[in-house]
C-alpha cells in the first residue's frame, strides 16, 4: 500500500504528523465534559394549570377536554399524557424523536391560545415550558436547624439561599418543598360577619383596596421636579386590622372586629425530614446545555464558600449529588478499561513472545485511544457510561489490525531472510491490507443500523457505536502506517529468530497438532456439522429460559420505600407511618442517609401535594463498604417492613430506576386499563389487580385510582338561588374563598412579599354542619347561608384522573417477586386475556415492560440490518454470494456461546447484550475473511484442492485469528467480573461477548473449514 511505503520511508514526517494528532487528542481528552448518560434530547413540552380547590372530575371536564382536543392537532405529535388532581392539571405533550423543540413549543402555545376561550375564568395563568426528562436535579440539598421553626427555615431557603444558587453557572432553576411558607392570615368569625351583615366579597374588596402604593405624577417646584406618591401599603398587622369595613353615623366596624389577623403560615400539606430531622429540600435543576458534573461542582463550591455566612445552628445536607454517582460509575468503568488494557498487553506478549513486538502494541494502543478522544471532542460527545463502554469494547479490537500486521511481518521475515525489514513490512501490509480493509468495513457495517433505526435504544447507544467505529477506523489507519513504521525501527536490526519464545514454540507445536486434527475433521465434516447443530439446538432451547429486561438495575444503593395510605388519610397520619419506617433503618450501618417526604407524590421534576402518599428515600453506603447488593437489601426491607403495614394502606420497597431515561419507572410492570367510562374502568382495574395477584409472580401491587376520596358535595337549588339573585358560580366562588382562602393582596416585609389570605379558620370547619352554615351572602336584607340554597351531602370522588391520548386510563403497578420481567409479563398477558371487557376497553403495558417490548423490536431490526450490510460488504469483497453466506451461516452457532454464558451467569437478555452480539458477529466475519481469503489465494496461486488450501490457510492464520479473538475477550473480562461501581449496566454485554467469542474460536477452527470444503465440492 502506498501509504505504508510512505510511512516507513519517511519516518520523521509520519512521526511528526502522529505527534500533532496526539497533542490534539490529549487536548480533546482534557476538554471532554463528564456525564452519566449521553446527551439525549426528548422533545417534550409540559403544561400546568392550577385551579385552586377544583376536584379532579371538574378539571377533567372543564380543562382536560378542551385543551387536549386542540393539542392533538399539533404537528409531529407522538402522544399526550395528562393528570387531573385536586387543584392542578398537568399535561405532557410528547413529540417524535428528532422534532425541533422550539417549533414544538410554539405549536403548543398556539393550540393553548385557541383553547383558552373554553377554559374556566378563575383558573390561574397556564404555565408552559420545555422539559427534558434527562435533565435531572443535579443536586438535592436539605436545610435544617434545631433552633429555627419551619416557617423561618422555609423563608430563608426561599429568599436567601435560592437566590444565590440560581446565580450559579449551569443552574436553570430550583424546586423547594418542605417547611412552611409564611403568609398573613385573616381568620374570619362567621358569627361576627352575620352580626354586622358583612359578606366575604365586602371584606376581600376592602382589604385589597386599602393596600396600595401608587405614583400620582410629577410636580415642578422651582428648579426641582418632585414625584407625588400615595403611600398606603400595610406596614404592620395592626394596619391590616384597622381597615374600616363599615362606617356610618351609628357605628364603625374594623376588620379586627370580625376577624383575627395573624402572622402565620400556609396549611401544612407536605412534611420533609432528613435523617430524622425536619428540613426543607431544595432540588437544583440544570440548564439543558449544561454539564451535570460541572454544574454540581459549581453548586458545591458555592455552598463551601457560603459556610462562613450561614446563620448559627443551620445545617446543609445532601440527599443526592449526581456528580458523586457519575464519578463513582465512571471510575469503575475507567478501572475496567485500564484492567482490560493490561490483560490485553499480557496476552499479546504471550502470543508474540517478543518484548519488542509487545512494545509496538504498547505504543499503538494508547496512540489509537488518544486520537479517538480528539474525535469525540469534535463530535461533541462526553465521557459517560456508554462512550466509556464503547472504549472498553474497542480496546478488545483496537489491536486486531496491528496484531495481524505485526504477525505477518514476523512471518515474512522468517520466510524471506534476504529481504530488508522495510521491504518486508510493505509486502506484509500489501498481503493483508485488503483483508483488513474488508474486515474493518464489515465491522463498521454491523453498527450502521444504529444510525438509521429510530428509537430510544439507538439514541442511547449512538455515542457508544460511534466511539467504537472511530477507534476501529483509527486502528486501521495506525495498523497500515505507524505500526509498520515502528516495526521497522524496533525489529530492523534483529534476526528473525530472536522473537521466538517458549510460548511461540509451544504454539507452533499446537499448530501442527491442530493441522492434523483439522484434516481428520474435514474427513468427517458431516459429523462435525452435526455436533454444531446440536449445540445450536441446545442454545435455542436455553434462550427461552434466559428471561428478559430492558436495562439492568445499577447497584448504586438508591432505594425508595413508597407509602400509600387509605384515601382520605391526613398528611400527619402518613407522616406517622413514614416515621416508623425511618426507625427501622436508622441504626443500620449499611444506610448512609434517609429522606422522608409525607404528603407528596413525585412525578418527574415536580412534587404534587397528595396527603395520603409519601416515601422514604434511602441511600446505602458505597458498594465497597457493604456486603449486600441493593437488590438484596430491597428484599430484606420488604420482609422487615411487612410487620408495620398500615390497615388499608401499602408499604412498597423498590430499587430506584436509572435516572435520565424517559419511560423508566420504579415499578417493574405497569398495566394500563383504558376506556371512557370511569365505573367500567374501575371494575376492570379491580379484576386486573386480582389477575396480577393471582399469578404469584408479583408483589407491591397497587392501583393508581381510588374513587373513595371523601368529599362534601353542595347541590344548589337553582330556583331558590335565582330568586335570591345568587348564581351557582357565586356559590362555588364563595365556598372556595371561605375554605381554601382568597388572596386579595400581599404584605411587604422589607424586600419580600407574602400573601394575605382571607378565610374561615380550619378549627371552625370540623363537620358538615359547619359547611352548611357558611355565609354565601350578607346584606341589609339578611344573611343567606349555604343550607338555605343547597343540600350538602357526603360523597366520594376520584383522587386522580389519568388520560393518554384523550382516553382515560387506570394503571395497575407491580414488582417482580422473583423470576425475570419477560416471563412475568408473558404470564400476565395470558391472565389478562381471560378478562372479559366491553368494546372500546383494553389493556396496554407501560413502563419497563413497554420499553422491553420496544427494545426487542429495535434489536431485531438492528441485527437484521447488520447481517444484511455485512452480507453486502462481503459480497463486494469476494465477488461471490457463496462465501459470504458461508461466513454468516456460522453466526448463529457463535451466538450459542453467548446464550450459554448468559445462562451460566444468571443474567437475562437486555438492551446492552446487542452490543456484545455485534462484537461476536464482527469477530466471526473478521476471522472468516482472514481464513477464506487466504484459502482462496492458495487455491489460485498454488492450485491446491479446497481441503488442502483451507487446512494450510487455517494453520498460517491460526495465531493471528486466535490472538485477535482472545485479546477481544480479555477486553471484556473486567466488565464481566463487575468488581467496581457502575459496571452493572455493561456486564450483560461483556458476558455475552465473552461466551460468543469463545464459541467463535471453536467455530473458526473447525466449522468454517468444514463448510468451506462443503461449498467447494
Amino acid at each position: 500500500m502506498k501509504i505504508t511505503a510512505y510511512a516507513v520511508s519517511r519516518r520523521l514526517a509520519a512521526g511528526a504528523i502522529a505527534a500533532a494528532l496526539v497533542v490534539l487528542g490529549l487536548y480533546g481528552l482534557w476538554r471532554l465534559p463528564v456525564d452519566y448518560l449521553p446527551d439525549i434530547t426528548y422533545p417534550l413540552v409540559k403544561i400546568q394549570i392550577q385551579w385552586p380547590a377544583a376536584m379532579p372530575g371538574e378539571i377533567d371536564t372543564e380543562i382536560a377536554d378542551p385543551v387536549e382536543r386542540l393539542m392533538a392537532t399539533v404537528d409531529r405529535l407522538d402522544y399526550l399524557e395528562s393528570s387531573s388532581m385536586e387543584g392542578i392539571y398537568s399535561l405532557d405533550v410528547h413529540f417524535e424523536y428528532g422534532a425541533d423543540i422550539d417549533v414544538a413549543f410554539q405549536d403548543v402555545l398556539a393550540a393553548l391560545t385557541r383553547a383558552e376561550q373554553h377554559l374556566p375564568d378563575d383558573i390561574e395563568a397556564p404555565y408552559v415550558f420545555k422539559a427534558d426528562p434527562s435533565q435531572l436535579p443535579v443536586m438535592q440539598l436539605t436545610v435544617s436547624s434545631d433552633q429555627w421553626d419551619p416557617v423561618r427555615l422555609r423563608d430563608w431557603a426561599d429568599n436567601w439561599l435560592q437566590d444565590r444558587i440560581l446565580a450559579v453557572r449551569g443552574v436553570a432553576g430550583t424546586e423547594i418543598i418542605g417547611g412552611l411558607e409564611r403568609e398573613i392570615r385573616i381568620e374570619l368569625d362567621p358569627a361576627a360577619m352575620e352580626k354586622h351583615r358583612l359578606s366575604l366579597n365586602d371584606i376581600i374588596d376592602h382589604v385589597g383596596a386599602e393596600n396600595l402604593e401608587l405614583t400620582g405624577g410629577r410636580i415642578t417646584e422651582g428648579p426641582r421636579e418632585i414625584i407625588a406618591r400615595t403611600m398606603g401599603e400595610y406596614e404592620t398587622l395592626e394596619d391590616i386590622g384597622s381597615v374600616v369595613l363599615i362606617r356610618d353615623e351609628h357605628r364603625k366596624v374594623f376588620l379586627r372586629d370580625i376577624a383575627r389577623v395573624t402572622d402565620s403560615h400556609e396549611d401544612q400539606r407536605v412534611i420533609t425530614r432528613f435523617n430524622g430531622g425536619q428540613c426543607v429540600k431544595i432540588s437544583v435543576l440544570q440548564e439543558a446545555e449544561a454539564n451535570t458534573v460541572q454544574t454540581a461542582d459549581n453548586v458545591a463550591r458555592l455552598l463551601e464558600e457560603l459556610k462562613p455566612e450561614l446563620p448559627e445552628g443551620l445545617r446543609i445536607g445532601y440527599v443526592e449529588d449526581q456528580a458523586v454517582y457519575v464519578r463513582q460509575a465512571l471510575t469503575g468503568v475507567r478501572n475496567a478499561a485500564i484492567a482490560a488494557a493490561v490483560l490485553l498487553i499480557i496476552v499479546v506478549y504471550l502470543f508474540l513472545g517478543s518484548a519488542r513486538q509487545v512494545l509496538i502494541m504498547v505504543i499503538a494502543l494508547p496512540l489509537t485511544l488518544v486520537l479517538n478522544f480528539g474525535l469525540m471532542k469534535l463530535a461533541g460527545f462526553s465521557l459517560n457510561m456508554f462512550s466509556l463502554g464503547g472504549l472498553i469494547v474497542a480496546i478488545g479490537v483496537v489491536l486486531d489490525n496491528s496484531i495481524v500486521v505485526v504477525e505477518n511481518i514476523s512471518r515474512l521475515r522468517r520466510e524471506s531472510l534476504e529481504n530488508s525489514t522495510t521491504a518486508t513490512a510493505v509486502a506484509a501490509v500489501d498481503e493483508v491490507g485488503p483483508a483488513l480493509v474488508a474486515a474493518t468495513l464489515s465491522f463498521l457495517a454491523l453498527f450502521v443500523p444504529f444510525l438509521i433505526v429510530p428509537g430510544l435504544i439507538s439514541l442511547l447507544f449512538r455515542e457508544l457505536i460511534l466511539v467504537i467505529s472511530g477507534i476501529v477506523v483509527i486502528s486501521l489507519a495506525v495498523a497500515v502506517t505507524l505500526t509498520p513504521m515502528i516495526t521497522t525501527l524496533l525489529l530492523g536490526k534483529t534476526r528473525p529468530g530472536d522473537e521466538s519464545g517458549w510460548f511461540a514454540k509451544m504454539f507452533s507445536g499446537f499448530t501442527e497438532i491442530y493441522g492434523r486434527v483439522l484434516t481428520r475433521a474435514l474427513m468427517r465434516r458431516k459429523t462435525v456439522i452435526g455436533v454444531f447443530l446440536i449445540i445450536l439446538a441446545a442454545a435455542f432451547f436455553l434462550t427461552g429460559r434466559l428471561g428478559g429486561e430492558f436495562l439492568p438495575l445499577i447497584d448504586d444503593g438508591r432505594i425508595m420505600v413508597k407509602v400509600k395510605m387509605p384515601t382520605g388519610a391526613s398528611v400527619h397520619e402518613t407522616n406517622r407511618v413514614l416515621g416508623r419506617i425511618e426507625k427501622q433503618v436508622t441504626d443500620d450501618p449499611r444506610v448512609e442517609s434517609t429522606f422522608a417526604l409525607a404528603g407528596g407524590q413525585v412525578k418527574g421534576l415536580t412534587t404534587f401535594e397528595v396527603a395520603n402518599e409519601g416515601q422514604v428515600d434511602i441511600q446505602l453506603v458505597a458498594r465497597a463498604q457493604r456486603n449486600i447488593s441493593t437488590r438484596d437489601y430491597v428484599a430484606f426491607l420488604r420482609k422487615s417492613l411487612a410487620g408495620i403495614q398500615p390497615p388499608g394502606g401499602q408499604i412498597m420497597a423498590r430499587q430506584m430506576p436509572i435516572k435520565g431515561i424517559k419511560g423508566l419507572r420504579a415499578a417493574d410492570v405497569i398495566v394500563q386499563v383504558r376506556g371512557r367510562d370511569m365505573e367500567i374502568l374501575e371494575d376492570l382495574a379491580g379484576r386486573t389487580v386480582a389477575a396480577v395477584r393471582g399469578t404469584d409472580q408479583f408483589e407491591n401491587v397497587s392501583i393508581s385510582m381510588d374513587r373513595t376520596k371523601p368529599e362534601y358535595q353542595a347541590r344548589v337549588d337553582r330556583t331558590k338561588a335565582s330568586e335570591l339573585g345568587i348564581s351557582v358560580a357565586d356559590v362555588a366562588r364563595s365556598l372556595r374563598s371561605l375554605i381554601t382562602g382568597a388572596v386579595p393582596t400581599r404584605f411587604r416585609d422589607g424586600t419580600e412579599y407574602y400573601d394575605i389570605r382571607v378565610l374561615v379558620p380550619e378549627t371552625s370547619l370540623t363537620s358538615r354542619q359547619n359547611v352548611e352554615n357558611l355565609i354565601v351572602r350578607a346584606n341589609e336584607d339578611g344573611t343567606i347561608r349555604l343550607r338555605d340554597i343547597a343540600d350538602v351531602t357526603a360523597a366520594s370522588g376520584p383522587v386522580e384522573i389519568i388520560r393518554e391520548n384523550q382516553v382515560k386510563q387506570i394503571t395497575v403497578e407491580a414488582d417482580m417477586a422473583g423470576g425475570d420481567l419477560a416471563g412475568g409479563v408473558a404470564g400476565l398477558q395470558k391472565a389478562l386475556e381471560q378478562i372479559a371487557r366491553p368494546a372500546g376497553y383494553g389493556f396496554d403495558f407501560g413502563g419497563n415492560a413497554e420499553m422491553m417490548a420496544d427494545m426487542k423490536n429495535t434489536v431485531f431490526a438492528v441485527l437484521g440490518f447488520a447481517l444484511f450490510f455485512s452480507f453486502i460488504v462481503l459480497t463486494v469483497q469476494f465477488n461471490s454470494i457463496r462465501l459470504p453466506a458461508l461466513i454468516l451461516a456460522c453466526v448463529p452457532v457463535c451466538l450459542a456461546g453467548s446464550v450459554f454464558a448468559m445462562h451460566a451467569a444468571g443474567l437475562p437478555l437486555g438492551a446492552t447484550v446487542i452490543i456484545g452480539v455485534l462484537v461476536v458477529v464482527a469477530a466471526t466475519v473478521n476471522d472468516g475473511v482472514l481464513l477464506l481469503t487466504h484459502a482462496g489465494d492458495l487455491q489460485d496461486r498454488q492450485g491446491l484442492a479446497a481441503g488442502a488450501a483451507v487446512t494450510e490457510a487455517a494453520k498460517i492464520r491460526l495465531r493471528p485469528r486466535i490472538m485477535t479473538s482472545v485479546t477481544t475477550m480479555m477486553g471484556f473480562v473486567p466488565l464481566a467480573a463487575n468488581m467496581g461501581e457502575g459496571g452493572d449496566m455493561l456486564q450483560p454485554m461483556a458476558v455475552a461477548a465473552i461466551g460468543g467469542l469463545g464459541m467463535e474460536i471453536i467455530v473458526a477452527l473447525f466449522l468454517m473449514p468444514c463448510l468451506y470444503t462443503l461449498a467447494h465440492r
Side-chain angles (χ1 to χ4, degrees):
M1 300 180 77
K2 290 184 178 180
I3 192 171
T4 306
Y6 177 87
V8 297
S9 62
R10 305 192 62 181
R11 298 169 183 168
L12 186 60
I17 294 173
L21 293 175
V22 166
V23 170
L24 293 176
L26 290 173
Y27 176 77
L29 175 60
W30 177 52
R31 300 292 296 174
L32 276 177
V34 178
D35 218 326
Y36 186 72
L37 295 174
D39 183 16
I40 305 173
T41 300
Y42 303 98
L44 170 63
V45 178
K46 283 180 172 284
I47 301 173
Q48 289 182 357
I49 302 176
Q50 291 194 2
W51 192 12
M55 290 294 104
E58 298 175 85
I59 294 174
D60 182 67
T61 304
E62 300 295 327
I63 297 179
D65 280 345
V67 169
E68 293 177 32
R69 192 179 303 116
L70 290 170
M71 211 58 65
T73 63
V74 300
D75 294 334
R76 301 201 65 180
L77 176 70
D78 189 8
Y79 64 95
L80 299 173
E81 197 173 35
S82 72
S83 167
S84 300
M85 302 176 69
E86 181 182 346
I88 188 168
Y89 169 72
S90 179
L91 173 65
D92 291 350
V93 186
H94 297 265
F95 290 86
E96 298 171 355
Y97 290 115
D100 189 319
I101 187 62
D102 295 318
V103 174
F105 182 72
Q106 294 301 323
D107 289 345
V108 168
L109 285 179
L112 185 61
T113 300
R114 295 197 304 272
E116 281 181 344
Q117 59 183 319
H118 304 294
L119 301 181
D121 295 331
D122 56 342
I123 62 169
E124 296 185 7
Y127 177 40
V128 186
F129 58 99
K130 291 179 282 188
D132 189 344
S134 67
Q135 300 303 314
L136 303 167
V138 295
M139 188 178 286
Q140 296 185 53
L141 311 168
T142 61
V143 180
S144 57
S145 173
D146 297 330
Q147 303 173 16
W148 288 11
D149 60 47
V151 177
R152 187 180 178 190
L153 207 59
R154 176 61 183 259
D155 191 60
W156 184 85
D158 276 334
N159 301 322
W160 194 90
L161 184 58
Q162 178 179 225
D163 293 344
R164 284 152 181 80
I165 292 176
L166 290 175
V168 172
R169 184 175 182 180
V171 173
T174 61
E175 186 203 34
I176 302 180
I177 61 170
L180 294 170
E181 290 191 60
R182 180 188 177 190
E183 66 180 21
I184 308 302
R185 292 205 154 195
I186 301 175
E187 298 179 344
L188 302 174
D189 181 349
M193 289 174 62
E194 183 178 12
K195 173 183 175 183
H196 296 289
R197 305 289 175 88
L198 283 169
S199 68
L200 177 65
N201 289 336
D202 293 334
I203 299 169
I204 291 173
D205 292 343
H206 279 84
V207 171
E210 293 295 323
N211 187 37
L212 188 64
E213 183 174 312
L214 187 63
T215 300
R218 296 181 177 85
I219 298 173
T220 302
E221 185 178 301
R224 296 184 302 168
E225 187 174 78
I226 300 174
I227 301 295
R229 187 165 58 176
T230 303
M231 305 296 291
E233 283 189 342
Y234 300 134
E235 295 182 0
T236 64
L237 299 189
E238 287 73 19
D239 291 345
I240 301 174
S242 299
V243 170
V244 179
L245 301 177
I246 300 175
R247 183 189 181 105
D248 55 33
E249 56 187 22
H250 302 294
R251 58 179 176 161
K252 185 188 294 183
V253 179
F254 296 95
L255 180 62
R256 61 175 176 264
D257 297 330
I258 55 97
R260 188 165 67 99
V261 182
T262 59
D263 190 341
S264 186
H265 54 77
E266 64 176 356
D267 292 333
Q268 189 165 36
R269 303 291 299 166
V270 173
I271 300 173
T272 52
R273 280 191 306 277
F274 182 63
N275 289 336
Q278 201 166 56
C279 69
V280 173
K281 189 183 82 165
I282 304 174
S283 298
V284 182
L285 311 178
Q286 73 181 60
E287 295 173 350
E289 302 299 324
N291 176 256
T292 300
V293 174
Q294 290 176 354
T295 304
D297 286 345
N298 291 340
V299 175
R301 195 176 304 113
L302 168 74
L303 296 175
E304 190 65 29
E305 293 171 357
L306 292 178
K307 274 188 177 180
E309 302 179 40
L310 296 181
E312 185 180 352
L314 204 67
R315 298 182 301 275
I316 293 181
Y318 294 87
V319 177
E320 238 180 41
D321 185 349
Q322 286 297 314
V324 174
Y325 293 129
V326 171
R327 286 197 179 95
Q328 286 177 347
L330 296 191
T331 298
V333 178
R334 182 203 64 193
N335 293 341
I338 295 172
V342 171
L343 288 173
L344 187 64
I345 296 301
I346 293 173
V347 172
V348 169
Y349 177 74
L350 287 175
F351 275 93
L352 296 182
S354 166
R356 293 174 182 266
Q357 290 179 334
V358 171
L359 183 58
I360 297 170
M361 299 299 132
V362 171
I363 296 172
L365 176 60
L367 183 66
T368 305
L369 298 181
V370 168
L371 294 180
N372 178 69
F373 289 130
L375 283 182
M376 289 175 63
K377 179 61 180 174
L378 288 175
F381 293 171
S382 64
L383 285 176
N384 56 67
M385 283 292 296
F386 287 94
S387 62
L388 280 179
L391 192 70
I392 293 178
V393 172
I395 281 177
V397 300
V398 69
L399 292 182
D400 286 1
N401 291 330
S402 290
I403 287 171
V404 172
V405 169
V406 171
E407 173 66 16
N408 209 40
I409 292 174
S410 300
R411 184 181 62 84
L412 290 182
R413 290 180 72 232
R414 288 192 297 271
E415 295 175 356
S416 306
L417 298 177
E418 68 280 359
N419 292 338
S420 67
T421 304
T422 300
T424 302
V426 175
V429 175
D430 286 340
E431 184 177 301
V432 298
L436 292 179
V437 172
T440 300
L441 290 176
S442 299
F443 188 93
L444 294 176
L446 291 172
F447 295 97
V448 168
F450 280 101
L451 304 179
I452 61 177
V453 175
L456 179 59
I457 295 298
S458 297
L459 288 175
L460 277 175
F461 291 151
R462 188 178 299 273
E463 286 194 15
L464 183 148
I465 296 307
L466 292 176
V467 166
I468 295 174
S469 302
I471 290 179
V472 169
V473 171
I474 294 172
S475 72
L476 175 63
V478 169
V480 299
T481 55
L482 297 179
T483 297
M485 182 197 78
I486 299 170
T487 303
T488 59
L489 283 172
L490 295 179
L491 303 183
K493 296 181 180 180
T494 61
R495 290 183 300 162
D498 290 347
E499 60 261 24
S500 296
W502 66 270
F503 190 84
K505 294 175 182 178
M506 184 185 71
F507 199 86
S508 178
F510 172 75
T511 302
E512 293 302 320
I513 296 173
Y514 165 68
R516 292 194 294 269
V517 173
L518 178 59
T519 302
R520 295 183 180 181
L522 292 177
M523 296 172 61
R524 298 174 177 82
R525 61 191 175 200
K526 290 185 179 179
T527 303
V528 172
I529 294 173
V531 170
F532 280 105
L533 288 176
I534 293 173
I535 292 173
L536 182 62
F540 183 78
F541 172 75
L542 284 179
T543 301
R545 297 173 175 267
L546 286 181
E549 63 182 2
F550 176 60
L551 287 174
L553 290 172
I554 307 300
D555 188 8
D556 55 6
R558 297 187 305 117
I559 299 170
M560 175 183 68
V561 181
K562 179 75 175 176
V563 172
K564 198 168 185 180
M565 299 292 289
T567 305
S570 69
V571 65
H572 298 287
E573 184 63 19
T574 304
N575 183 54
R576 185 183 64 81
V577 175
L578 293 185
R580 296 177 64 187
I581 297 173
E582 290 174 281
K583 287 181 181 178
Q584 292 274 347
V585 299
T586 297
D587 297 327
D588 193 329
R590 296 169 293 186
V591 174
E592 182 177 272
S593 65
T594 60
F595 173 77
L597 167 67
Q601 182 187 90
V602 180
K603 287 188 176 182
L605 301 178
T606 307
T607 301
F608 297 94
E609 294 179 357
V610 182
N612 67 313
E613 293 191 22
Q615 65 186 58
V616 177
D617 296 339
I618 299 172
Q619 176 61 60
L620 301 181
V621 297
R623 180 175 169 179
Q625 300 174 18
R626 50 185 159 90
N627 57 0
I628 188 171
S629 68
T630 307
R631 185 192 297 268
D632 291 340
Y633 193 84
V634 169
F636 161 76
L637 264 184
R638 287 173 179 170
K639 291 180 181 178
S640 63
L641 297 177
I644 60 171
Q645 289 281 350
Q650 283 182 292
I651 297 178
M652 299 166 283
R654 290 168 175 160
Q655 185 172 351
M656 289 191 186
I658 302 169
K659 289 191 173 184
I661 299 180
K662 174 185 172 185
L664 281 183
R665 307 284 182 86
D668 292 331
V669 176
I670 298 177
V671 181
Q672 300 167 338
V673 187
R674 309 185 65 194
R676 303 295 300 179
D677 185 84
M678 293 305 297
E679 291 187 1
I680 297 177
L681 277 180
E682 188 177 11
D683 176 63
L684 285 175
R687 287 191 276 164
T688 302
V689 169
V692 173
R693 288 177 174 154
T695 61
D696 294 328
Q697 291 181 285
F698 301 97
E699 58 187 353
N700 290 342
V701 183
S702 64
I703 190 168
S704 67
M705 182 178 174
D706 192 339
R707 292 172 57 86
T708 61
K709 183 172 184 178
E711 56 184 47
Y712 288 132
Q713 296 180 349
R715 300 187 178 277
V716 180
D717 185 327
R718 286 184 169 82
T719 303
K720 288 183 180 180
S722 177
E723 291 174 354
L724 296 171
I726 300 174
S727 66
V728 175
D730 292 334
V731 175
R733 280 193 292 268
S734 296
L735 274 183
R736 182 170 298 164
S737 297
L738 288 167
I739 298 173
T740 302
V743 181
T745 186
R746 308 191 76 194
F747 178 77
R748 184 163 67 91
D749 186 357
T751 59
E752 305 299 334
Y753 286 84
Y754 303 94
D755 289 346
I756 298 178
R757 186 176 299 275
V758 181
L759 77 168
V760 174
E762 192 173 345
T763 54
S764 299
L765 296 172
T766 58
S767 66
R768 182 172 63 183
Q769 288 72 27
N770 295 144
V771 176
E772 291 174 331
N773 288 330
L774 288 176
I775 299 172
V776 177
R777 176 179 294 178
N779 52 32
E780 294 299 328
D781 297 328
T783 301
I784 301 173
R785 299 181 183 277
L786 180 61
R787 65 169 182 259
D788 297 330
I789 55 172
D791 290 329
V792 179
T793 57
S796 61
V799 177
E800 180 183 16
I801 298 177
I802 301 172
R803 300 170 26 147
E804 184 172 324
N805 290 331
Q806 304 184 68
V807 179
K808 294 183 180 70
Q809 68 178 29
I810 299 177
T811 60
V812 177
E813 299 183 354
D815 295 325
M816 296 299 303
D820 69 284
L821 180 60
V825 171
L828 183 56
Q829 283 177 326
K830 293 180 181 179
L832 294 179
E833 289 173 0
Q834 307 302 316
I835 298 178
R837 53 189 183 273
Y841 294 80
F843 302 105
D844 289 322
F845 284 92
N848 297 341
E850 180 186 22
M851 299 188 77
M852 185 180 64
D854 292 341
M855 177 266 294
K856 287 182 179 179
N857 296 332
T858 302
V859 165
F860 285 134
V862 166
L863 189 57
F865 273 119
L867 294 175
F868 172 73
F869 288 143
S870 294
F871 180 79
I872 296 299
V873 171
L874 292 173
T875 300
V876 173
Q877 168 71 12
F878 289 109
N879 194 28
S880 165
I881 293 179
R882 184 170 51 182
L883 291 182
L886 186 155
I887 293 173
L888 295 180
C890 296
V891 169
V893 184
C894 296
L895 295 182
S898 298
V899 174
F900 296 146
M902 295 288 289
H903 185 267
L907 296 173
L909 295 172
T912 57
V913 173
I914 184 62
I915 305 299
V917 168
L918 292 181
V919 170
V920 174
V921 175
T924 306
V925 171
N926 189 43
D927 278 0
V929 169
L930 286 174
L931 173 65
L932 302 187
T933 300
H934 197 58
D937 289 343
L938 290 176
Q939 281 190 282
D940 295 338
R941 290 202 306 262
Q942 301 180 20
L944 298 177
V950 77
T951 301
E952 185 64 21
K955 291 169 61 179
I956 292 173
R957 296 294 186 224
L958 178 62
R959 192 159 77 157
R961 286 189 296 125
I962 289 185
M963 198 186 314
T964 54
S965 295
V966 172
T967 53
T968 304
M969 290 174 65
M970 289 300 103
F972 286 105
V973 166
L975 272 183
N978 191 21
M979 300 298 290
E981 303 273 354
D984 306 83
M985 187 181 295
L986 301 176
Q987 185 187 23
M989 171 193 75
V991 171
I994 290 173
L997 289 169
M999 182 62 69
E1000 187 272 335
I1001 292 175
I1002 301 174
V1003 167
L1005 290 178
F1006 297 104
L1007 182 59
M1008 277 187 187
C1010 289
L1011 292 178
Y1012 182 82
T1013 58
L1014 193 66
H1016 285 79
R1017 284 189 302 175

